[in-house]
Each structure stands twice: as structure tokens, then as C-alpha cells.
Amino acid sequence: MKAKGKKLLLFLLGIALCLAIYEIIAFRTGLKYLPEFFVALKGMFLLMGKSLTWVSLGYSLLRLLISFAVSTVVGVVLGILAGYFEPVEKVLAPLITILRAIPTIAVLFLLIVYVSHFYLYVVFLLLFPLIYQASLEGSREITRQYKDDLMMQGKWCWRNLVQVVFPLSQDYILLGLIQALGLGFKAEIMAETFGYSSSFQGIGKLIYLYYSQVEYADLVSLVLLVLLISLLSDALLLFLRDKIEEKLGISKKRIWIH
């Protein structure tokens, strides 16, 4: 009980530190760009009462879900195959390395010029390697553990890939999906903000509009709202991730004992 109380106290001190830093910056700049925190907080609740805010958020989440769904299908299929068939992993290794190494902002600027609905591609290119890697690790681990059982007549069987490897890899896959989803929301908003267009709605568009119209108070309030949503979603995803990692740790321990 004491440990939990100490942990909560440290957490509250961390929040107080963040608020203090914000207020120092706000007053040092004469409240020109950053409003006083509680003024911004009040503005956040006012924005929550506007339908435009929720419509914009809905569009952003819809685009995120589309990119996330495509990334999941492609990443899981290729990851499972790569973990089951080593030649597939070797062939895909250079592509995955490039996607991880290339700066996201560079891809963003290139796609803005050449691709319509570029924000979908930006999020896909960011999430796909994460989901692929998680699926690969799960498939590789399950294949290694049950190698003898998976071999039929001296060769790998496709039926085992679908009926054994994929189901047993789901915890690994889910862990990758959780990590990717939190990152995807931030990437979607970034892409919308940089690629502002009057032809679509989204949180990124609202951020750009408030910035271009020098409405810094509304801009900060909107950022606070996005931050609140991100923190709540990250807390939920972190809880789920810890549960999955705990489950995987128990599973590995049991396998090692036997």
C-alpha cells in the first residue's frame, strides 16, 4: 500500500513539474503564444462542446483505422510467412531495414507532392514495420518451439501455418498492434497538419487553421485535447501491453522448465 502511495505521489509531482514548466514558459513569453494553463484548459472544454471538433476527430480516427487495418493485414501475413519460411525473411529484410531507417518527414514531403490521400500511406509506412516485426518474432518463436510437430513428411505444411503458428502467435501480434496504434494516431495528425488541404476534415487541419489564423489560444487548447486523448489511449494500451508481456513471460518460463 505504501509503495502504491509513493508511486502516486511521484506521479502527481511529475504532473506538477510539467505544469510549472508550462507556466514559466507562458509568462516568460508574455502570454503571447501560450495562454495561462487554466485559460487553455477552459478553452479545451469549450472546444469539446463544438461539433466541428468531434467531426474532425472522427475523420482523423477513420483515416487512422484504414491505415491501421491495411498495415495489420499486410504486416501480419508477411510476418507470419517470414517467421515460418526463412527465405521470405531474407528477401524482406532489406525492405524492412529501409522503411525503418528512412526519415518519416522526408517520406511525408515526397508523398504530399506525388500521392493523393498521402496521409494514409505515411501512417502505413510507419506502422507496417512494427506489426511485421511483432508477427515475425511470434511466428519464429512458435516455429522454433514446435519445429518437430510442425514438420509433416519432411517439409513444412501450409495447414500448420494457418492452424498452429498463426493462433499461437496472436499474443505477439497483439503486442505489436498495441505499440503501432499509439504511434499511428500521432503520425496521422502530423501528416494532416503538414499536408493541409481544404478538401478534407481532420484534427490536423484544425491545428493548421488555428496556427495560420494566429489563434494561439485555440491552438493550445486543441493540443491539450489531443494530448488528453493520447494520454488516455496510451494508458489503456500500456495496461494491455503489460498484461500481454506478463502472459508471454509466464509462457516462456513454462516452456523453459519443460
Side-chain angles (χ1 to χ4, degrees):
M1 192 67 181
K2 291 183 178 180
K4 290 184 178 180
K6 183 178 180 181
K7 187 176 181 179
L8 177 61
L9 177 61
L10 293 174
F11 178 75
L12 294 176
L13 287 175
I15 293 179
L17 176 62
C18 292
L19 292 178
I21 294 174
Y22 177 95
E23 293 287 72
I24 290 173
I25 296 175
F27 282 100
R28 289 287 293 177
T29 55
L31 302 176
K32 184 177 180 181
Y33 303 107
L34 291 178
E36 198 274 327
F37 176 77
F38 292 100
V39 173
L41 188 63
K42 178 182 177 181
M44 183 191 76
F45 286 108
L46 292 175
L47 287 178
M48 292 173 65
K50 296 182 179 180
S51 60
L52 177 60
T53 303
W54 296 109
V55 170
S56 299
L57 178 61
Y59 274 100
S60 295
L61 291 177
L62 176 61
R63 297 187 188 100
L64 169 61
L65 290 177
I66 293 173
S67 299
F68 180 72
V70 176
S71 302
T72 298
V73 172
V74 178
V76 169
V77 170
L78 293 180
I80 292 294
L81 285 172
Y84 194 64
F85 298 110
E86 187 175 355
V88 176
E89 179 186 0
K90 300 299 183 183
V91 170
L92 292 176
L95 174 62
I96 300 301
T97 301
I98 292 173
L99 290 179
R100 285 178 170 177
I102 191 170
T104 304
I105 193 67
V107 175
L108 174 59
F109 284 132
L110 287 174
L111 292 177
I112 288 175
V113 177
Y114 296 107
V115 181
S116 59
H117 306 296
F118 65 91
Y119 28 82
L120 300 176
Y121 295 91
V122 170
V123 177
F124 169 81
L125 292 175
L126 194 61
L127 301 190
F128 164 69
L130 295 176
I131 298 173
Y132 167 84
Q133 187 63 37
S135 303
L136 168 65
E137 291 176 0
S139 178
R140 180 193 291 155
E141 179 66 17
I142 298 303
T143 300
R144 182 190 64 79
Q145 292 176 19
Y146 302 100
K147 181 177 180 180
D148 295 336
D149 297 327
L150 292 171
M151 290 291 289
M152 296 184 65
Q153 298 178 354
K155 61 181 180 181
W156 297 113
C157 177
W158 285 95
R159 182 182 302 173
N160 287 334
L161 178 66
V162 177
Q163 296 181 353
V164 179
V165 177
F166 173 69
L168 293 179
S169 302
Q170 287 183 5
D171 285 337
Y172 291 86
I173 295 171
L174 185 56
L175 185 61
L177 296 181
I178 289 172
Q179 295 172 338
L181 190 58
L183 180 61
F185 181 61
K186 302 175 184 65
E188 173 62 33
I189 294 176
M190 178 192 70
E192 290 178 357
T193 304
F194 276 91
Y196 165 79
S197 170
S198 60
S199 62
F200 73 94
Q201 291 180 291
I203 289 295
K205 178 181 178 180
L206 279 184
I207 290 176
Y208 182 88
L209 281 176
Y210 289 146
Y211 167 77
S212 62
Q213 296 171 2
V214 199
E215 298 178 0
Y216 294 127
D218 286 337
L219 174 60
V220 174
S221 296
L222 182 59
V223 171
L224 282 179
L225 177 58
V226 173
L227 179 61
L228 176 62
I229 295 172
S230 296
L231 289 176
L232 291 175
S233 61
D234 285 350
L236 176 59
L237 294 174
L238 181 62
F239 173 78
L240 294 174
R241 188 193 70 184
D242 289 343
K243 290 297 182 182
I244 295 172
E245 288 180 342
E246 180 181 352
K247 181 179 179 182
L248 289 174
I250 293 173
S251 175
K252 289 178 182 178
K253 184 177 180 181
R254 288 176 178 171
I255 290 171
W256 182 79
I257 290 175
H258 289 294

